[in-house]
Amino acid sequence: MKNIIFIAPPAAGKGTQSNLLKEKYGYVHISTGDMLREVIASGSTLGMEVKNIIDKGELVSDELIINLIKDKLATLDGKPFILDGFPRTLNQAVALNKILKDDSYEVIYLDITEEEAVKRIEGRVSCSCGKTYNLNDEGLKPKVNDICDVCGNKLVKRDDDNVEAFKVRFEIFLSNIEPLINFYKSKNKFNVIDVNKDLNEKFKEISRIVAND
Ligand code: AMP
């Protein structure tokens, strides 16, 4: 089973696919957005600085995020992992390449238009347990309004899931994506999944790429 690097604009479905892969294959799901939200929840001065950046839709520094990832990967003990939200810049990709000891990974690029992503952002809600839902998608709605199917907690909307912050996030994504794509194409690690396909079809395609399933 190969490690997975998800590269995609906001709301392309990285979190949903990560949860499915985690359930079926036991991947460790590493979401840098979740890690940063934990830093915010700690209430530290750094947390307040990070919140300010995230709420505007901007990126935290490469240095901060690379250090967080380096520490996290060092705890995995060889377990297969999914990187969700990292790398987002060429600098981060180059740093990751130095940290990884082998090339047992595949990049999965979830291709989505800005229009479709805005629609998803508007309907996206999540639970503190990490499960995400989408009120604009019949297949991704919770069974009971506002309540998590898994743990029964109340679902909440992320502070940065508003159209204004989303536009900044999408623009930043586009401005960084080309060098990232070229970097992974040159290593023969780049795989594109069309997000308009059915959820299970996408999952099967990804499974074939990373687990020969
Ligand atoms: P996400 O949950 O992946 O949408 O990330 C939420 C926010 O966290 C992003 O909009 C960025 O502000 C920040 N963030 C997450 N991952 C990174 C990263 N690799 N580099 C810089 N900022 C990041």
Side-chain angles (χ1 to χ4, degrees):
M1 223 155 49
K2 294 192 174 160
N3 297 315
I4 302 171
I5 299 175
F6 269 125
I7 296 184
K14 297 184 295 256
T16 306
Q17 287 297 333
S18 296
N19 281 332
L20 293 172
L21 289 156
K22 189 168 121 183
E23 274 165 31
K24 178 153 184 198
Y25 300 109
Y27 276 102
V28 179
H29 177 206
I30 304 173
S31 153
T32 42
D34 286 349
M35 288 165 77
L36 291 168
R37 284 182 281 277
E38 277 171 28
V39 174
I40 295 174
S42 74
S44 62
T45 314
L46 175 64
M48 288 189 301
E49 285 167 22
V50 168
K51 178 166 171 47
N52 199 16
I53 295 169
I54 290 189
D55 284 354
K56 284 193 282 192
E58 294 169 3
L59 294 184
V60 304
S61 72
D62 283 342
E63 192 192 356
L64 169 64
I65 205 76
I66 289 166
N67 283 332
L68 283 177
I69 279 291
K70 207 186 263 177
D71 290 350
K72 182 71 187 177
L73 290 177
T75 67
L76 293 188
D77 242 358
K79 291 193 200 97
F81 59 84
I82 298 170
L83 287 180
D84 164 358
F86 182 95
R88 267 173 152 98
T89 64
L90 182 59
N91 264 345
Q92 294 177 15
V94 171
L96 177 63
N97 212 46
K98 287 189 188 140
I99 299 169
L100 297 179
K101 293 187 184 62
D102 56 38
D103 67 350
S104 175
Y105 68 88
E106 290 292 333
V107 171
I108 307 287
Y109 178 77
L110 299 176
D111 195 14
I112 187 171
T113 62
E114 181 166 1
E115 196 185 8
E116 173 65 19
V118 172
K119 202 171 104 197
R120 291 185 179 198
I121 281 283
E122 286 174 335
R124 182 157 80 170
V125 284
S126 59
C127 178
S128 53
C129 75
K131 180 122 176 86
T132 55
Y133 298 86
N134 204 301
L135 307 178
N136 289 339
D137 183 331
E138 277 310 316
L140 294 174
K141 277 185 178 174
K143 292 195 182 88
V144 180
N145 254 357
D146 287 341
I147 301 293
C148 178
D149 294 351
V150 180
C151 62
N153 282 343
K154 194 167 162 38
L155 300 174
V156 291
K157 200 157 177 56
R158 275 169 47 171
D159 288 345
D160 60 340
D161 273 354
N162 60 72
V163 174
E164 201 181 318
F166 169 80
K167 292 231 175 247
V168 177
R169 286 156 72 197
F170 206 89
E171 280 307 311
I172 291 178
F173 174 81
L174 289 182
S175 68
N176 284 301
I177 192 59
E178 214 174 291
L180 266 184
I181 292 179
N182 291 338
F183 181 78
Y184 286 117
K185 272 189 177 167
S186 75
K187 298 190 176 305
N188 230 352
K189 295 288 180 194
F190 192 71
N191 306 276
V192 182
I193 302 286
D194 175 1
V195 297
N196 293 313
K197 287 190 176 157
D198 161 69
L199 185 69
N200 288 327
E201 187 49 42
K202 284 182 286 196
F203 181 60
K204 275 191 200 152
E205 264 189 54
I206 296 172
S207 299
R208 273 196 291 273
I209 295 166
V210 300
N212 289 325
D213 237 4

